[in-house]
Every structure is written in C-alpha cells, then in structure tokens.
Amino acid sequence: MSNAERERVESFGRPEDGLLDASPWYRWGPYLSERAWGTVREDYSGDGTAWEAFPHDHARSRAYRWSEDGLAGISDAEQRLCFGLGLWNGRDPILKERIFGLTGNEGNHGEDAKEYWWYLDALPSHAWLRWRYHYPQRAFPYEQLASENRRRSREEPEFELLDTGVFDEDRYWIVEADYAKADPDDMRIRIRITNPGPDAETLHVLPTVWFRNTWSWSPSDDGGAARPRLAAAGDAVIGIEHEGLGPMVLQAAAGPDGTMPRQVYCENETNAQRLYGVPSGTPFPKDGINDHVVHGADTVNPAQEGTKAAFWYQVTVQPGETVALSLRLAPSTNRAAFGPGFDKVLKQRRTEADAFYADLTPPGTSDEDAMIMRQGFAGMIWGKQFYNYDVAKWLNGDPGQPPPPPGRQQGRNAGWRHLDASDIMSMPDPWEYPWFAAWDSAFHAVALAHLDPAFAKYQLVLLCREWFQHPNGAIPAYEWAFEDLNPPVQAWAALQVYEIDGRRDLQFLTRVFSKLVLNFTWWVNREDAAGRNLFEGGFLGLDNIGPIDRSHLPPGYRLEQSDATAWMAFYCLNLLEMARELAKHNPALDDLVVKFLEHFALISEAMRTNDLWDEQDGFYYDMLRAPDGSSTPLRVRSMVGVIPLFATKALRQEDFTRVRRLSKGFADMPSHQVLSDEDGDTGLIAVGVAAHGRARRILPHLFDEESFLSPFGLRALSRWHATHPFSVELPGWTASVSYEPAESTTGMFGGNSNWRGPLWIPLNYLVMRTLEDYQANLGDSVKIEYPTGSGRQCTAGEIAEDLRQRMLSLYRRGPDGRRPAFGWVDRMQHDPNWRDNLLFYEYFHADNGAGLGAMHQTGWTGLLAEMVARPTGVAK
C-alpha cells in the first residue's frame, strides 16, 4: 500500500456509530446509487408493488424520501449534498440523469439495467475515483427496450441496448469522470468527453449539485429539517449553504471553446402537476432543469437559487477527439483552482493508486490478472452506498403527508420497527440491488479486507448493531423481506477478515462473536421446528434451486434442508474457532468452545442418521415431510448437497482433551459422529459433517465434467439433470427441476436469480477455500481423482488452485482474444473502447462462461479480485 493511502485508510479508526467518527477522508465518497426509484423504501403503495409504485418515469419529477441517485454520483457520508452528471444528446425526450433499466415485471428475466457503465478505478479513501459511461448519440430507445423485452419469453435471451443498433457506426459518447481529492473536502473533478463517431456532434453536459430532500416530510417548525440553499455566487460559482455542512462552492472552468457555462436552478421537490394533476408547491420543481433544457420551458428560477443546480455546457466534439471539463467542489472559491495545480492533484492521486495496487499485487501476477484485480476492487469501492431506512417512519408515514395504507402495519417488514439505518454500506450492485443483503455483505467484507480492513470490519459489525439486528437475535436478510433468511456466513467472514488483517484485532473478533452467539441461538430456537437439529430456513438465498418454493410450502408440509443444516454446522465450527481464538486470552470462554463443539456433534449426528444422506447416490438431499408423517427425498444434485463439505474444521488433540475434561456430555458421544478417518501426520483431527468417507462420495460428483465441473468452475446444479430431470408429485400439483445453464425459465422467486445450473462465484470460492483447509489439515497424503474419470490423482491444494484458475479464466482473454464473460457480444470482445472495461456479473453461463444477471454485481463476484490478491495457499 502506498504510504499516502495507508495513512488515509488506517486513520479510519474504530467508528462506533458511523463513518462520521472515522477519517475525514471518508466524508465524501461514491455513496450515490445508480437507482433509488423502484426500491422498497420508496414504495408507499397499498399492494407493495415497489417497481410500479415508483417507476423510472417518475424519477425525474418526484422527490425521493430516503436516498438519491445519479450518474457518476458522489455525496457526503450522510448524503446531504449530492453531485452527479446530467447529459443530453439533443435527441432524447429527457435528460440522462440516471441509469435506465427494466423492473422485475418488465424484463423477460427480471429486472435489468439497459445501459453500459464501468467502475474503472478507485482508492479506498476515495481520494481517487474513475467512472466511465457510453451514451448513444441517437435517441435513447426507451420504448423499444421495454416493448421487446415484454414480448420475449423466458426461453429467449434478454434484449439489450447494443441489440437495438443504437451504437452502430460508433455513434455514441464516451463520458469519463475522474475525481481527485486535494484534501478531505476539496474535490477536483475532470469530465472527459470523447466522440468515437464519424461526424461532429454536440453534447449538453450538466454537472449537477443538489440537496437530498429532508425538508418536505416534516415542517421545520415541527422539528423537520431547515431548507438548505444553492445560489449563484459569481461567474461560474454555485454557492452551497447547508447547516450541517457549512459553506461550500461548486466552481466551474470554461468549456473547451472558452465559453463559461450557464447556471440553471430549480427545487428538489415533486412536480405534482405532471404526476398527479394537482398544483405543485413551486414553479421550478425537480424536473425544471430537464424541461428547460429539453423543451425550453420556463421552469428554472431566474433568481438563480434553489435546492438543485447545474452548470450547462454545450460542447461540440469532432470525430475521434476528446475534450475535458473541469470543476471543483470545495469549502471556498479559489480563482487559481484550474491552473497547473489542478492537473497536479489528478496526476498525483492516479500515481498513488498505481502504487496502492502494485503493493497489493503478488509477485509474478500477469498484467491481465492485475487488471482483473484492480477493476474488481474498484467496483467494490464504488459499491459503498448511503443506505437510509427508518422502518418505523416508513410504516407510520410522515407528518403532513398522506398516511400509508392500513395493511402496511401487517405487511412487509412490519416486525422490524427497530431498524433505523443511516449508514454507508457495501451494496451488491448500485442499480439492481441498491440495498444490502446479509450474506452478500459477508463475502464483500472478505474482499474489502485487502483494501480497507477497518471498513470491512465495520460492515460485519454493522449488521449486528442494535439498529439492525432484531431484539430476538435475527439478522436482517435483505430489504424486500428482512425476516427472510440468508446463510449464516458472518462468523466465517469475520475469521477471514481477522486472518487477512494479521490476526491482531481481538476487539473486533470479540465484538462480532458476542452478537453472533445471539444470532446462533435465534436460529436454534426458531428454525429447528421439530427440535431434531435439522434446520429449515427457506430459500436461503439460493433462488430457484429446487423443485418447490422452499419458503412457501403446501399447508402442513415441512422441509428439512441439507443446506440449512449444513450451514448451521458450518456456523458452529466457525463460532467454535472464534471462541478458541478468544479463549487464548480469556480462559472463561473455554465453556463456549465446549458448547459449540457439542452442538456441532448433535447437528452432525442428525445429518448422519435422519435421511438427509442418500447412501446409494452418495449425496445429501433435502427431505420433505408430509402432514401424514411420510417423507420424500428431493433428489436434486445441487449445491444444496455440496454445502456439507464446508462444515469441516481441524482441531488438535489438546482441544479434545480440554473439551472432555469440561464436558461429560461430549465424552459420552461416539467419536465416529464427529471425527474423520484421516488425520495424516499433522497432529490434527479433522472434524466434519461429511466425515467417514462421505466427502469421498460427494467429490466424484463435484469433479465430474459431465456433472458439476465446468471449464470455469462449479455449476450450481449437476448437468446430469439435463437428461435426468427430477420431479415430485404433491397433492394437486407436480414440481420439477432440470438443468438450465443460463437464466431460469421459472419465476419462482422473481427477478433474474437462478441457481438451476449457472456458475456463481461465492459458493465456488467456499469450495476452493475448503479444499485449501483439507490440504492444510491432511497434507499431501490424501489424493483425489481430478477430474473424475481422468485417472489423475491430485492433492486438495492442487484442485483448489485449478478451480481458482478456472474462475479467473472467465475474465482472461483467451488465444482468440475473447473473454468468456463477455459471451457472444462482439463489440465487448474486440472493440478497443469496450474490451478492457470489465463488468462483474452476478453469475455465469455454466457451459460457456458468459456473464448473466446483474452486470455490475461487483459485490460477491469481486471475490475474483481477492483470488488474485490472495492466491491459494497464501496467508493460511
């Protein structure tokens, strides 16, 4: 890490209540999502249809209640002041102020952004950020995208912006935004505009600054926020007055032709006339700048003041040329801001970023892998978003506003009135998933630990804070249903972050451990309905994984889940490891070492003796229990049956001596319930759910290229089901599963998430790290045929490394110059303006590696960057 960036990042400290207690370098960052419309927070409908309640067509005209969105957006850590870009090609019906996409009910495979933008570079302190966007010069085909995707079936591919022909003949704009901080509150901004097309074209560029609307929901004389103010403060200077920020300015330099931009102002308030047919509270509403620029309407304030303002540049660019605009957001005006010092700051921060990533890159790393790592980590940093949601206020409504529908009090998230978030969080995707998901956050933390260990720890601690974690111990899953369940991977992630950070922060480990013990107890009390140590848990994030909706079973049925039970065994072992580490410094925690090893033994025995294991197939399956007591195994060879492999931990003989000394109960348990056959010469005893040969029965399925193993990693569902679909008969209906390597043809969970075949990075990553543990614990004496049927015997470590290489090959250019993740899209494969800009997709086609789902899901797919920074066998 460069010395400058280390100083900025390590000054994060230990924020107890939010980023405002952290380093001042965190005050400003890329905290503005690409989408705030269509979210649960903005849904005040009677039927809970968030996408329809606040559609894209409303976004330019309607003030948001909870957060803001924008292009290339930045804001302060409380999102009081926002900055982003407005663009107009002279042909569109509206300004381009935010990313367009289809909602879950519009797309043939669910919600989907229909634009192209990239997070190319970033430092964790946000002292350097780089963003890129490709904007058509022709009219943006909004209606064509919506109508064609409505027409297509689930069996057909999604219709994308490139498919419309709007980029043909290179008639588009390349817009790049570079941000460089001279100091924590002095942001230098350079916007570069390139015309790759054949003709000279004019682009309207509107760098825009605005306040998040905090004043409309409650009058200031009733305790609400006072209205802040933007006003012209001289030639090309917008004055900024906010009681919480102090005075600031947005200052603009002349355009490429020497012309100073015009200033335009309106209010960040709803255009009620346009949306509802009633008079607006102002003649200059939120879409006032849009209507003035596009239609020439008299909707900007001639007094040049308001709560939203922009500099309006009109730049004509010749074919193949690039022009630049310069701005400065800072506490005060500096007339010399755009001289040589401006360029010096940008160059210096870029140089520091080069040094930062050079330090993270292991020796011998190829340039290709170094680029994958750098862009992956950049996306993780750009994925830091402001998340604001007070559930009690959302349920009750705001003073002076129409009350929410009565059903809201018993509807979505009604049991989470304590949740009151106003934090910076790592989001899965700033457009498709501009909200946290608990298990996503855990994977994010592992990657972020290489960049910014304090922020990674903050993310893991945050979901366990009293304003997130339920008083009963539950951790909120995700915004659409906090009460749903994500796999309990937080303890594993905390141990990984602790390891990456040098095994030194016992305070962090203690803090997380104490809250996760509460969560573990909640799982035991709430999700083991029959008290048999077999857990339910619902869909657990594995959308469409099985033949039935695991969260909504037929009346009277119960599903004992292989994955839920294995996740709990995995949770036990990781809490045991945390307790064992902490007990080195506090022997009183020995009792908890005993507690978690005993509980693991009970879960392991339950999985061994209660039908989840199929001896004939050598695989774990879910078991469906009917009201009459009969049971049906759901013989689907999916990741559900692989997850038991993760529940493995190496203990030393002295651990068992200590446990038997303290625990009569454990001493009476037969050792075959919890111990593996093989301990090699390491002095370690491998404890695992899949012990006594079961792992050796599962691994041939996993490493079979006609089953799970693909050229790019492990499929979510065995390809065996392509010719052997599974079906189950239930009263009145039949459910089935077959292999689908790409998007799902069933909408069981909505959206485009599908675990019926595609390759997903997070579980591949866990398999890879589990194999590393096998290698560390069992050594080279244990060998496994890999791939199955090849006759080649490999150590677990060699297999882990091969899986790492397969996953990274998704983004490496092959001998034909193509990156598998870019699939059949020739422009992305070969065009120099596109081919090295990486999109970190949500999941991947299991047979050809093409990226699918949310195309900026840098979150857990950002683990690819972690695999470069920490190759197999390193830091173990």
Side-chain angles (χ1 to χ4, degrees):
M1 183 184 295
S2 67
N3 290 334
E5 187 62 12
R6 179 182 290 110
E7 182 179 342
R8 289 190 288 261
V9 170
E10 291 185 352
S11 63
F12 188 104
R14 296 182 180 279
E16 297 298 314
D17 298 306
L19 288 184
L20 296 183
D21 292 327
S23 162
W25 289 91
Y26 290 83
R27 276 201 291 266
W28 297 90
Y31 306 139
L32 197 67
S33 290
E34 262 79 9
R35 177 172 70 93
W37 56 274
T39 63
V40 167
R41 281 157 287 164
E42 300 296 338
D43 175 15
Y44 283 82
S45 68
D47 53 6
T49 54
W51 287 313
E52 286 75 21
F54 200 138
H56 176 268
D57 184 56
H58 284 201
R60 69 182 182 275
S61 305
R62 182 170 157 190
Y64 295 122
R65 172 63 179 89
W66 296 101
S67 62
E68 292 288 337
D69 57 18
L71 298 179
I74 63 169
S75 76
D76 67 282
E78 293 185 85
Q79 203 169 92
R80 294 164 292 187
L81 182 69
C82 306
F83 174 89
L85 297 183
L87 304 169
W88 189 49
N89 57 20
R91 299 175 175 93
D92 283 352
I94 59 174
L95 287 184
K96 178 63 64 179
E97 296 179 279
R98 58 189 52 80
I99 295 295
F100 171 74
L102 303 181
T103 68
N105 298 330
E106 290 177 323
N108 61 325
H109 291 285
E111 71 270 45
D112 184 26
K114 295 299 182 186
E115 309 221 34
Y116 301 101
W117 75 102
W118 297 267
Y119 309 117
L120 294 183
D121 209 5
L123 283 171
S125 66
H126 325 126
W128 169 255
L129 300 165
R130 170 166 282 179
W131 177 95
R132 179 177 175 122
Y133 173 60
H134 289 180
Y135 178 44
Q137 293 174 357
R138 299 178 173 96
F140 196 92
Y142 292 103
E143 179 52 36
Q144 184 185 8
L145 287 165
S147 61
E148 178 60 21
N149 279 284
R150 277 195 301 266
R151 186 194 66 77
R152 293 192 178 192
S153 69
R154 286 187 176 270
E155 286 72 27
E156 296 175 275
E158 294 171 343
F159 183 66
E160 305 292 1
L161 184 58
L162 272 169
D163 298 328
T164 68
V166 76
F167 289 100
D168 290 357
E169 301 176 291
D170 290 335
R171 294 184 183 276
Y172 65 96
W173 296 102
I174 299 172
V175 180
E176 293 181 297
D178 295 346
Y179 296 91
K181 294 181 184 178
D183 63 43
D185 297 304
D186 188 342
M187 182 76 79
R188 311 296 170 91
I189 305 165
R190 174 152 291 164
I191 303 163
R192 291 178 295 160
I193 301 136
T194 301
N195 176 12
D199 301 318
E201 291 284 350
T202 298
L203 179 66
H204 299 249
V205 184
L206 293 101
T208 305
V209 64
W210 70 100
F211 297 111
R212 177 167 62 90
N213 189 325
T214 57
W215 57 88
S216 291
W217 319 110
S218 180
S220 58
D221 56 5
D222 191 33
R227 181 189 293 267
R229 182 175 180 267
L230 302 170
D235 190 20
V237 178
I238 296 173
I240 300 166
E241 296 178 9
H242 187 290
E243 61 182 5
L245 291 171
M248 296 186 68
V249 296
L250 179 66
Q251 190 174 353
D257 62 355
T259 303
M260 299 303 292
R262 179 183 166 194
Q263 299 182 44
V264 285
Y265 290 78
C266 64
E267 302 291 346
N268 186 15
E269 295 189 15
T270 298
N271 185 342
Q273 185 66 51
R274 174 179 179 258
L275 297 179
Y276 312 119
V278 299
S280 298
T282 172
F284 316 115
K286 180 179 177 179
D287 53 11
I289 295 173
N290 173 91
D291 291 352
H292 181 72
V293 172
V294 175
H295 305 295
D298 188 18
T299 50
V300 294
N301 191 343
Q304 292 196 314
E305 63 177 9
T307 48
K308 178 180 178 181
F311 290 116
W312 182 5
Y313 291 93
Q314 299 181 51
V315 294
T316 299
V317 188
Q318 299 301 314
E321 289 192 351
T322 298
V323 301
L325 307 176
S326 299
L327 301 104
R328 176 175 174 265
L329 181 65
S332 61
T333 303
N334 180 354
R335 293 294 176 186
F338 303 112
F342 188 91
D343 293 331
K344 182 180 178 181
V345 170
L346 274 82
K347 183 179 180 180
Q348 179 181 345
R349 297 300 180 236
R350 174 62 186 267
T351 299
E352 290 170 357
D354 291 342
F356 176 80
Y357 285 106
D359 188 65
L360 278 180
T361 306
T365 301
S366 68
D367 290 344
E368 189 86 342
D369 283 3
M371 183 182 73
I372 293 168
M373 183 192 76
R374 185 162 179 170
Q375 289 194 37
F377 279 148
M380 299 295 301
I381 295 167
W382 275 93
K384 297 178 182 180
Q385 306 283 282
F386 174 71
Y387 184 79
N388 185 34
Y389 189 15
D390 183 331
V391 174
K393 285 185 178 179
W394 181 77
L395 291 169
N396 295 336
D398 293 296
Q401 299 292 321
R408 171 164 296 210
Q409 299 303 318
Q410 291 78 44
R412 175 181 289 138
N413 296 332
W416 291 77
R417 298 182 69 91
H418 75 285
L419 198 148
D420 182 7
S422 183
D423 292 277
I424 302 301
M425 304 187 72
S426 177
M427 302 298 183
D429 177 274
W431 190 90
E432 193 160 328
Y433 303 106
W435 31 262
F436 73 90
W439 77 313
D440 295 61
S441 296
F443 292 113
H444 299 183
V446 175
L448 286 164
H450 292 275
L451 303 168
D452 191 344
F455 184 75
K457 296 170 197 174
Y458 178 67
Q459 294 302 289
L460 290 170
V461 169
L462 186 59
L463 288 184
C464 295
R465 293 304 301 268
E466 57 275 13
W467 58 86
F468 275 96
Q469 188 171 21
H470 199 282
N472 64 19
I475 289 176
Y478 52 93
E479 184 172 279
W480 288 83
F482 287 139
E483 72 280 359
D484 219 326
L485 296 175
N486 275 179
V489 292
Q490 279 73 27
W492 165 82
L495 284 167
Q496 292 289 307
V497 171
Y498 177 71
E499 178 81 24
I500 293 167
D501 191 41
R503 303 180 65 86
R504 57 184 177 171
D505 194 345
L506 287 170
Q507 182 176 338
F508 158 70
L509 207 62
T510 302
R511 194 174 186 192
V512 173
F513 177 73
S514 64
K515 300 303 287 283
L516 292 181
V517 169
L518 296 177
N519 179 247
F520 179 85
T521 303
W522 176 86
W523 271 88
V524 170
N525 292 337
R526 295 288 296 272
E527 299 303 324
D528 176 16
R532 303 170 65 211
N533 293 302
L534 296 172
F535 293 84
E536 290 89 53
F539 90 117
L540 282 176
L542 302 180
D543 312 32
N544 295 327
I545 190 69
I548 59 176
D549 182 342
R550 302 197 300 171
S551 292
H552 302 92
L553 300 175
Y557 282 79
R558 189 176 78 252
L559 188 67
E560 293 170 347
Q561 293 179 217
S562 170
D563 59 333
T565 306
W567 282 125
M568 285 301 289
F570 180 69
Y571 202 178
C572 262
L573 290 178
N574 283 298
L575 287 171
L576 183 156
E577 177 66 23
M578 294 172 82
R580 185 172 60 168
E581 181 72 11
L582 294 171
K584 295 176 184 177
H585 308 273
N586 182 2
L589 292 175
D590 275 345
D591 289 349
L592 286 175
V593 175
V594 174
K595 180 263 184 298
F596 288 115
L597 189 49
E598 286 193 325
H599 211 128
F600 168 78
L602 293 171
I603 297 172
S604 178
E605 179 69 359
M607 289 198 74
R608 191 179 75 87
T609 59
N610 282 287
D611 303 326
L612 296 184
W613 173 257
D614 188 293
E615 184 61 34
Q616 179 177 339
D617 290 354
F619 210 74
Y620 286 100
Y621 299 124
D622 288 349
M623 183 65 66
L624 185 65
R625 306 285 184 185
D628 63 5
S630 62
S631 59
T632 303
L634 302 183
R635 289 191 170 88
V636 179
R637 296 180 189 176
S638 73
M639 279 291 172
V640 164
V642 174
I643 289 168
L645 293 175
F646 305 158
T648 302
K649 186 69 66 178
L651 301 178
R652 297 190 178 276
Q653 186 60 54
E654 55 262 34
D655 292 312
F656 288 91
T657 301
R658 175 174 56 180
V659 169
R660 289 191 172 98
R661 184 178 71 249
L662 296 172
S663 170
K664 178 180 177 181
F666 182 81
D668 291 342
M669 291 181 184
S671 62
H672 72 263
Q673 294 180 5
V674 295
L675 306 182
S676 69
D677 286 328
E678 298 163 297
D679 58 10
D681 298 322
T682 62
L684 300 173
I685 302 173
V687 177
V689 164
H692 284 285
R694 288 188 178 180
R696 285 194 174 275
R697 299 287 308 282
I698 296 171
L699 293 177
H701 294 291
L702 198 60
F703 300 149
D704 186 346
E705 293 177 309
E706 296 303 316
S707 181
F708 283 97
L709 185 61
S710 88
F712 309 104
L714 299 168
R715 302 175 174 95
L717 185 80
S718 171
R719 194 163 68 173
W720 182 82
H721 285 297
T723 54
H724 300 82
F726 172 80
S727 64
V728 60
E729 298 284 340
L730 296 173
W733 58 292
T734 301
S736 64
V737 167
S738 62
Y739 174 68
E740 296 181 279
E743 286 99 341
S744 177
T745 57
T746 177
M748 188 184 299
F749 274 96
N752 57 12
S753 295
N754 166 31
W755 291 75
R756 295 190 171 199
L759 183 152
W760 296 73
I761 294 300
L763 293 191
N764 269 263
Y765 180 86
L766 283 173
V767 171
M768 183 190 76
R769 293 300 182 200
T770 297
L771 289 167
E772 284 189 276
D773 288 342
Y774 286 177
Q775 178 70 36
N777 300 338
L778 304 176
D780 292 342
S781 60
V782 176
K783 301 231 175 149
I784 305 158
E785 187 180 38
Y786 180 85
T788 301
S790 68
R792 178 181 170 223
Q793 297 294 312
C794 297
T795 66
E798 290 169 337
I799 298 171
E801 176 59 21
D802 185 73
L803 286 176
R804 185 178 81 96
Q805 295 295 333
R806 289 179 187 239
M807 285 185 274
L808 287 171
S809 73
L810 287 162
Y811 283 91
R812 291 171 176 158
R813 270 203 240 157
D816 59 356
R818 301 176 70 88
R819 301 186 195 277
F822 289 169
W824 48 86
V825 185
D826 283 338
R827 186 180 284 270
M828 287 186 173
Q829 297 287 12
H830 302 300
D831 190 321
N833 286 327
W834 296 69
R835 67 186 182 188
D836 291 330
N837 305 325
L838 304 186
L839 296 169
F840 290 84
Y841 295 88
E842 185 178 3
Y843 51 92
F844 302 86
H845 192 294
D847 297 333
N848 62 36
L852 301 165
M855 66 178 177
H856 294 86
Q857 177 105 355
T858 304
W860 61 24
T861 303
L863 287 168
L864 290 167
E866 203 274 345
M867 290 180 213
V868 177
R870 184 170 59 141
T872 53
V874 176
K876 296 304 293 179

PDB file of all heavy atoms in Angstrom, residues 177-189:
ATOM      1  N   ALA A 177     -15.531  10.290 -15.872  1.00  0.00           N
ATOM      2  CA  ALA A 177     -15.447  11.225 -14.751  1.00  0.00           C
ATOM      3  C   ALA A 177     -14.319  10.782 -13.828  1.00  0.00           C
ATOM      4  O   ALA A 177     -14.304   9.646 -13.355  1.00  0.00           O
ATOM      5  CB  ALA A 177     -16.767  11.271 -13.991  1.00  0.00           C
ATOM      6  N   ASP A 178     -13.364  11.664 -13.607  1.00  0.00           N
ATOM      7  CA  ASP A 178     -12.268  11.432 -12.672  1.00  0.00           C
ATOM      8  C   ASP A 178     -12.440  12.361 -11.482  1.00  0.00           C
ATOM      9  O   ASP A 178     -12.664  13.569 -11.650  1.00  0.00           O
ATOM     10  CB  ASP A 178     -10.911  11.717 -13.321  1.00  0.00           C
ATOM     11  CG  ASP A 178     -10.584  10.762 -14.456  1.00  0.00           C
ATOM     12  OD1 ASP A 178     -11.258   9.726 -14.574  1.00  0.00           O
ATOM     13  OD2 ASP A 178      -9.661  11.069 -15.227  1.00  0.00           O
ATOM     14  N   TYR A 179     -12.319  11.797 -10.282  1.00  0.00           N
ATOM     15  CA  TYR A 179     -12.396  12.584  -9.049  1.00  0.00           C
ATOM     16  C   TYR A 179     -11.071  12.438  -8.302  1.00  0.00           C
ATOM     17  O   TYR A 179     -10.583  11.318  -8.102  1.00  0.00           O
ATOM     18  CB  TYR A 179     -13.517  12.067  -8.149  1.00  0.00           C
ATOM     19  CG  TYR A 179     -14.910  12.194  -8.717  1.00  0.00           C
ATOM     20  CD1 TYR A 179     -15.474  11.147  -9.461  1.00  0.00           C
ATOM     21  CD2 TYR A 179     -15.677  13.324  -8.503  1.00  0.00           C
ATOM     22  CE1 TYR A 179     -16.763  11.241  -9.971  1.00  0.00           C
ATOM     23  CE2 TYR A 179     -16.970  13.427  -9.004  1.00  0.00           C
ATOM     24  CZ  TYR A 179     -17.498  12.385  -9.737  1.00  0.00           C
ATOM     25  OH  TYR A 179     -18.777  12.480 -10.239  1.00  0.00           O
ATOM     26  N   ALA A 180     -10.496  13.548  -7.870  1.00  0.00           N
ATOM     27  CA  ALA A 180      -9.262  13.523  -7.097  1.00  0.00           C
ATOM     28  C   ALA A 180      -9.372  14.535  -5.972  1.00  0.00           C
ATOM     29  O   ALA A 180      -9.663  15.711  -6.211  1.00  0.00           O
ATOM     30  CB  ALA A 180      -8.054  13.833  -7.985  1.00  0.00           C
ATOM     31  N   LYS A 181      -9.131  14.083  -4.744  1.00  0.00           N
ATOM     32  CA  LYS A 181      -9.204  14.986  -3.602  1.00  0.00           C
ATOM     33  C   LYS A 181      -7.844  15.635  -3.354  1.00  0.00           C
ATOM     34  O   LYS A 181      -6.838  14.938  -3.204  1.00  0.00           O
ATOM     35  CB  LYS A 181      -9.623  14.223  -2.345  1.00  0.00           C
ATOM     36  CG  LYS A 181     -11.027  13.658  -2.371  1.00  0.00           C
ATOM     37  CD  LYS A 181     -11.319  12.944  -1.051  1.00  0.00           C
ATOM     38  CE  LYS A 181     -12.677  12.272  -1.067  1.00  0.00           C
ATOM     39  NZ  LYS A 181     -12.953  11.538   0.191  1.00  0.00           N
ATOM     40  N   ALA A 182      -7.851  16.960  -3.290  1.00  0.00           N
ATOM     41  CA  ALA A 182      -6.643  17.666  -2.867  1.00  0.00           C
ATOM     42  C   ALA A 182      -6.467  17.544  -1.357  1.00  0.00           C
ATOM     43  O   ALA A 182      -5.348  17.478  -0.841  1.00  0.00           O
ATOM     44  CB  ALA A 182      -6.718  19.126  -3.275  1.00  0.00           C
ATOM     45  N   ASP A 183      -7.585  17.527  -0.645  1.00  0.00           N
ATOM     46  CA  ASP A 183      -7.613  17.244   0.780  1.00  0.00           C
ATOM     47  C   ASP A 183      -8.994  16.654   1.064  1.00  0.00           C
ATOM     48  O   ASP A 183      -9.798  16.496   0.138  1.00  0.00           O
ATOM     49  CB  ASP A 183      -7.302  18.490   1.620  1.00  0.00           C
ATOM     50  CG  ASP A 183      -8.320  19.611   1.449  1.00  0.00           C
ATOM     51  OD1 ASP A 183      -9.538  19.329   1.429  1.00  0.00           O
ATOM     52  OD2 ASP A 183      -7.896  20.780   1.350  1.00  0.00           O
ATOM     53  N   PRO A 184      -9.324  16.296   2.292  1.00  0.00           N
ATOM     54  CA  PRO A 184     -10.584  15.587   2.520  1.00  0.00           C
ATOM     55  C   PRO A 184     -11.826  16.291   2.002  1.00  0.00           C
ATOM     56  O   PRO A 184     -12.822  15.627   1.665  1.00  0.00           O
ATOM     57  CB  PRO A 184     -10.625  15.440   4.048  1.00  0.00           C
ATOM     58  CG  PRO A 184      -9.190  15.358   4.446  1.00  0.00           C
ATOM     59  CD  PRO A 184      -8.479  16.312   3.519  1.00  0.00           C
ATOM     60  N   ASP A 185     -11.831  17.611   1.901  1.00  0.00           N
ATOM     61  CA  ASP A 185     -13.031  18.334   1.496  1.00  0.00           C
ATOM     62  C   ASP A 185     -12.864  19.135   0.205  1.00  0.00           C
ATOM     63  O   ASP A 185     -13.718  19.951  -0.126  1.00  0.00           O
ATOM     64  CB  ASP A 185     -13.455  19.291   2.624  1.00  0.00           C
ATOM     65  CG  ASP A 185     -13.840  18.549   3.892  1.00  0.00           C
ATOM     66  OD1 ASP A 185     -14.728  17.693   3.820  1.00  0.00           O
ATOM     67  OD2 ASP A 185     -13.221  18.817   4.937  1.00  0.00           O
ATOM     68  N   ASP A 186     -11.800  18.890  -0.516  1.00  0.00           N
ATOM     69  CA  ASP A 186     -11.526  19.631  -1.746  1.00  0.00           C
ATOM     70  C   ASP A 186     -11.443  18.633  -2.893  1.00  0.00           C
ATOM     71  O   ASP A 186     -10.419  17.976  -3.094  1.00  0.00           O
ATOM     72  CB  ASP A 186     -10.217  20.408  -1.599  1.00  0.00           C
ATOM     73  CG  ASP A 186      -9.976  21.364  -2.774  1.00  0.00           C
ATOM     74  OD1 ASP A 186     -10.606  21.191  -3.830  1.00  0.00           O
ATOM     75  OD2 ASP A 186      -9.134  22.278  -2.620  1.00  0.00           O
ATOM     76  N   MET A 187     -12.525  18.512  -3.660  1.00  0.00           N
ATOM     77  CA  MET A 187     -12.629  17.524  -4.725  1.00  0.00           C
ATOM     78  C   MET A 187     -12.417  18.175  -6.083  1.00  0.00           C
ATOM     79  O   MET A 187     -13.143  19.107  -6.454  1.00  0.00           O
ATOM     80  CB  MET A 187     -14.019  16.864  -4.683  1.00  0.00           C
ATOM     81  CG  MET A 187     -14.226  15.778  -5.719  1.00  0.00           C
ATOM     82  SD  MET A 187     -13.398  14.236  -5.274  1.00  0.00           S
ATOM     83  CE  MET A 187     -14.571  13.577  -4.064  1.00  0.00           C
ATOM     84  N   ARG A 188     -11.432  17.693  -6.821  1.00  0.00           N
ATOM     85  CA  ARG A 188     -11.202  18.137  -8.188  1.00  0.00           C
ATOM     86  C   ARG A 188     -11.873  17.136  -9.130  1.00  0.00           C
ATOM     87  O   ARG A 188     -11.675  15.917  -8.989  1.00  0.00           O
ATOM     88  CB  ARG A 188      -9.700  18.232  -8.485  1.00  0.00           C
ATOM     89  CG  ARG A 188      -8.902  19.006  -7.419  1.00  0.00           C
ATOM     90  CD  ARG A 188      -9.307  20.475  -7.313  1.00  0.00           C
ATOM     91  NE  ARG A 188      -8.726  21.132  -6.162  1.00  0.00           N
ATOM     92  CZ  ARG A 188      -7.553  21.771  -6.169  1.00  0.00           C
ATOM     93  NH1 ARG A 188      -6.825  21.815  -7.265  1.00  0.00           N
ATOM     94  NH2 ARG A 188      -7.116  22.362  -5.075  1.00  0.00           N
ATOM     95  N   ILE A 189     -12.622  17.639 -10.090  1.00  0.00           N
ATOM     96  CA  ILE A 189     -13.435  16.789 -10.962  1.00  0.00           C
ATOM     97  C   ILE A 189     -13.087  17.097 -12.412  1.00  0.00           C
ATOM     98  O   ILE A 189     -13.135  18.256 -12.839  1.00  0.00           O
ATOM     99  CB  ILE A 189     -14.941  17.041 -10.722  1.00  0.00           C
ATOM    100  CG1 ILE A 189     -15.293  16.854  -9.243  1.00  0.00           C
ATOM    101  CG2 ILE A 189     -15.788  16.123 -11.609  1.00  0.00           C
ATOM    102  CD1 ILE A 189     -16.647  17.422  -8.860  1.00  0.00           C
TER     103      ILE A 189
END
